[in-house]
Amino acid sequence: MTKRMTLKLVAAAAILGVAGMAQAQQTIKIANIVELSGPGTTAGTVFKNGVELAVKEINENGGILGKKIENYTVDTQTNPGVAKGLTQKAVDDGVFAIYGPVYSGSIMVSMAESKRGEVPNFTGGEAAAITAQGNPYVFRTAFGQSVSFPKLAKFINTKAKTLAVIYVNNDFGKGGRDTLAKLLDGSSTKVVADISTDAGQVDFSAAVLKAKQSNADAIFAYTNEEESARLLRELKKQGWNKPVIGETTLVGQKVIELAGDAANGAIAHVGLTVDAPNPEMLKFKAKYYQAYGSISDHNGIKGYTGVYVLKAAIEKVGKLDRKAVAQALHGIQISAKKNPGVIMDVSFDANGDLDRESYLIEVKNGRQVVTATLPPLNAKK
Amino acid sequence: MTDFLQLFFSGLATGSIYALAALGFTLLWQASGTINFAQGEFVMLPAFMMLGFMAAGFPLVLSFAASCVLSVFVLGWLFKRGVVDPLFKFGMMPIVVATIGLSIAMRNAVRAGYSAEPQPFPNLFPDEVYNLAGVTISATDIGTFVFAMILVLATQAFLAKTVTGRAMQAVAQNTESASVLGINVPRMIFYTFAINAVLAAAAAILVTPTYLAKFDMGSSLGNKAFFAAIIGGFNNSRGALLGGVIVGVCENLAAAYISPAYKDAVALIIFMVVILFKPQGLLGKKVERKV
């Protein structure tokens, strides 16, 4: 009797177990590992919002291959060590894909865990070194510096003979500064001041003074969002009236909001902007505003399109196989016409770097104004 | 020389903000023998109170006045009744630990209840910039320095020249004797907490346009103010002013003449040098051990 009972219990447990596994496969679990505190709060929060908006939309439209996405979010505190631990935990939890971290320093450390677990990892980090590591599971949601900076350097050549560089002393900032220095080396523009600042820095008076002393034709400012706002305010305060040129973070919506009038006149190359002349982008802008009551910056677009890129790759593979999806992403070309959620046509190369159109932006009257649309770096001529 | 003056004046404005927060440390220490490690968060909370009042349609100055009243209630009365009074009998250490816990709780409550993102904050002073012999000084720098000076000196005068101020100092020096002399000790201690709350609100209106309203804006401000208070002398209000100005100016000079990378270490280095050679701080008095 006891033996029979035991057998029944074992059988019941087995059935429940199988049912549980079947249940587990009903959803595609993704982890959002982002900066919700520390210096990266703005970037991480908006990236997370973008991911959540895409997940909600995809689930409402039937999911991916008929399966809903299950999304959870954790805070890295903008600390690479915490990010690594959380990525390890996400891998242990068996997630299908990881979104974040957004900060380059954090993804540089944490991506070893997603590689070990063979989990596709979509990052907002832009440091050139991220995809140079040869990690087949890491994919960008925006340009890396190796794609955006050649376009930027060409533009700087047309604007300045001498340049002061103010950068944030972390992987993101140093990566950008090194990439630009290489590109400008031997060109018509000479770097005459090289000024490092700290993440979370409050007072930029000394940095701006050094830039002024260099008497450069323009400043290249490459700091994170909050610091960009503070830097722009200090530049205005000290009466800087020459061009301030930057990359995406310099003219983000949050930067414009925080810097106020001081943001006017800032020029930047941006890979993503909600003001791009693209109907899908304008739809995204409206949806984001409706959901969160604010205008998304580039990080929101990164998170949002990142989920749709995963959807396109899974649908291409036709099954929920992480390894196969990662393989399919290398060399993939996703058309926005067939996959409106990706907003713009996009392609990924063998390193996980993406390429697509980009824009030159100038802040005018507290708004981003697109002054030029630049073709993909590797566009067929 | 022009660059030096530029850095000096800019550092003076930042230093005066440190001084306001540092004054909170010295006041509480003198009145109740307490170190409040939530002092930075005591500046952060009024900033969000002001944002709340402004969102309700109040202008900035009125929002500031309303925040001062609310701060006296929350950071003065509630803090004294809820944290200091129940723990006072157990000595200083439990209060110190409680204020560390309070700072974490306040940060996370604002993050969860409001937002983790920084919020812009209007400037009390106009956006004017003046050029004096090649030195660019903004109206904000001048206004911040003057406003902070007035507050620090007024607090100093209140403590030294008024009956209530002297009673507060008497309580700080010897609670038992003050009580025997008929001074209402709990009331004097409450006054100290109330003044600290108003100073925190004043620091908030000055500092937030630069720091931006964010749940963790008080962390670095609290640290710098703590170092400034020790550098100037923990038992002297004027010491807080001196310490704040020294830290603000030296940070700026170090960033320009050495490297911006070492800027945040400046306060710590000055602090270490001062406690090695003058443990009571630059203007502090040696305190004899009571037996």
Side-chain angles (χ1 to χ4, degrees), chain B residues 52-104:
Chain B
F53 284 119
M54 281 185 279
F58 285 74
L60 178 62
V61 177
L62 217 56
S63 300
F64 172 62
S67 300
C68 284
V69 176
L70 197 56
S71 296
V72 168
F73 173 69
V74 177
L75 306 174
W77 186 81
L78 211 60
F79 174 59
K80 181 178 174 291
R81 294 299 293 267
V83 178
V84 179
D85 286 352
L87 295 174
F88 198 69
K89 53 182 175 283
F90 301 111
M92 193 184 77
M93 195 46 83
I95 298 179
V96 168
V97 174
T99 59
I100 293 170
L102 186 66
S103 74
I104 297 168

Side-chain angles (χ1 to χ4, degrees), chain B residues 19-30:
Chain B
L20 272 183
L23 189 57
F25 277 112
T26 61
L27 270 179
L28 289 199
W29 175 256
Q30 288 178 62

Side-chain angles (χ1 to χ4, degrees), chain A residues 37 41 213 226 230 233 254, chain B residues 3 111 116 118 209 211 214:
Chain A
S37 58
T41 306
Q213 285 168 341
E226 284 167 51
R230 293 187 187 120
R233 280 175 170 236
K254 195 74 196 176
Chain B
D3 295 341
R111 183 169 81 163
Y211 273 66
K214 195 179 165 191

Side-chain angles (χ1 to χ4, degrees), chain A residues 173-254:
Chain A
K174 278 188 287 187
R177 171 242 194 194
D178 293 348
T179 309
L180 186 69
K182 266 184 218 158
L183 289 162
L184 292 181
D185 191 26
S187 78
S188 58
T189 306
K190 196 178 164 210
V191 176
V192 289
D194 188 35
I195 304 157
S196 86
T197 62
D198 278 337
Q201 186 164 314
V202 176
D203 186 349
F204 282 86
S205 52
V208 169
L209 189 70
K210 278 192 162 185
K212 279 174 76 180
Q213 285 168 341
S214 74
N215 206 22
D217 294 338
I219 286 177
F220 174 66
Y222 200 55
T223 54
N224 297 112
E225 279 86 351
E226 284 167 51
E227 292 77 20
S228 293
R230 293 187 187 120
L231 173 60
L232 287 168
R233 280 175 170 236
E234 184 64 34
L235 283 164
K236 188 184 177 209
K237 186 178 123 184
Q238 291 200 31
W240 178 265
N241 52 15
K242 297 176 199 170
V244 183
I245 303 167
E247 229 280 325
T248 311
T249 49
L250 183 70
V251 294
Q253 287 297 337
K254 195 74 196 176

Side-chain angles (χ1 to χ4, degrees), chain A residues 19-334:
Chain A
M21 282 165 67
Q23 183 65 34
Q25 286 177 351
Q26 290 308 306
T27 59
I28 300 167
K29 198 170 170 182
I30 63 171
N32 218 348
I33 302 173
V34 287
E35 294 77 0
L36 299 182
S37 58
T41 306
T42 303
T45 306
V46 183
F47 184 89
K48 172 200 75 107
N49 289 348
V51 169
E52 286 176 352
L53 185 59
V55 167
K56 188 168 170 273
E57 272 177 26
I58 291 170
N59 284 345
E60 281 171 1
N61 292 315
I64 305 174
L65 302 180
K67 294 178 175 60
K68 297 279 167 78
I69 305 175
E70 189 187 332
N71 173 44
Y72 77 87
T73 302
V74 283
D75 177 18
T76 68
Q77 301 164 27
T78 322
N79 179 331
V82 174
K84 185 180 170 78
L86 292 172
T87 306
Q88 176 62 57
K89 189 175 179 301
V91 170
D92 292 345
D93 288 347
V95 299
F96 190 87
I98 292 169
Y99 284 82
V102 183
Y103 262 38
S104 297
S106 292
I107 185 69
M108 293 278 276
V109 173
S110 66
M111 68 181 178
E113 301 302 328
S114 50
K115 183 185 180 186
R116 205 181 343 259
E118 297 179 330
V119 178
N121 192 165
F122 296 84
T123 178
E126 295 180 8
I130 296 171
T131 46
Q133 315 274 323
N135 182 336
Y137 290 91
V138 71
F139 302 95
R140 292 193 197 272
T141 50
F143 292 145
Q145 288 155 348
S146 56
V147 179
S148 57
F149 273 57
K151 298 184 184 189
L152 191 62
K154 266 188 206 169
F155 176 71
I156 289 172
N157 283 152
T158 65
K159 282 279 176 186
K161 295 274 172 232
T162 53
L163 185 73
V165 176
I166 299 178
Y167 68 98
V168 56
N169 194 11
N170 59 19
D171 286 303
F172 161 77
K174 278 188 287 187
R177 171 242 194 194
D178 293 348
T179 309
L180 186 69
K182 266 184 218 158
L183 289 162
L184 292 181
D185 191 26
S187 78
S188 58
T189 306
K190 196 178 164 210
V191 176
V192 289
D194 188 35
I195 304 157
S196 86
T197 62
D198 278 337
Q201 186 164 314
V202 176
D203 186 349
F204 282 86
S205 52
V208 169
L209 189 70
K210 278 192 162 185
K212 279 174 76 180
Q213 285 168 341
S214 74
N215 206 22
D217 294 338
I219 286 177
F220 174 66
Y222 200 55
T223 54
N224 297 112
E225 279 86 351
E226 284 167 51
E227 292 77 20
S228 293
R230 293 187 187 120
L231 173 60
L232 287 168
R233 280 175 170 236
E234 184 64 34
L235 283 164
K236 188 184 177 209
K237 186 178 123 184
Q238 291 200 31
W240 178 265
N241 52 15
K242 297 176 199 170
V244 183
I245 303 167
E247 229 280 325
T248 311
T249 49
L250 183 70
V251 294
Q253 287 297 337
K254 195 74 196 176
V255 178
I256 295 172
E257 186 190 338
L258 295 175
D261 286 350
N264 286 334
I267 306 166
H269 167 261
V270 306
L272 298 163
T273 167
V274 288
D275 292 313
N278 175 334
E280 288 303 323
M281 191 66 90
L282 296 176
K283 266 191 219 167
F284 165 78
K285 181 182 179 180
K287 282 188 283 194
Y288 187 97
Y289 189 81
Q290 199 181 3
Y292 302 107
S294 59
I295 294 173
S296 169
D297 69 4
H298 62 111
N299 288 300
I301 310 169
K302 286 180 187 177
Y304 181 83
T305 52
V307 182
Y308 276 101
V309 165
L310 177 72
K311 179 175 181 281
I314 293 175
E315 283 169 352
K316 185 183 177 194
V317 172
K319 58 182 176 179
L320 288 175
D321 180 336
R322 287 190 296 232
K323 220 169 170 176
V325 167
Q327 273 170 1
L329 275 164
H330 292 291
I332 199 170
Q333 294 206 335
I334 306 171

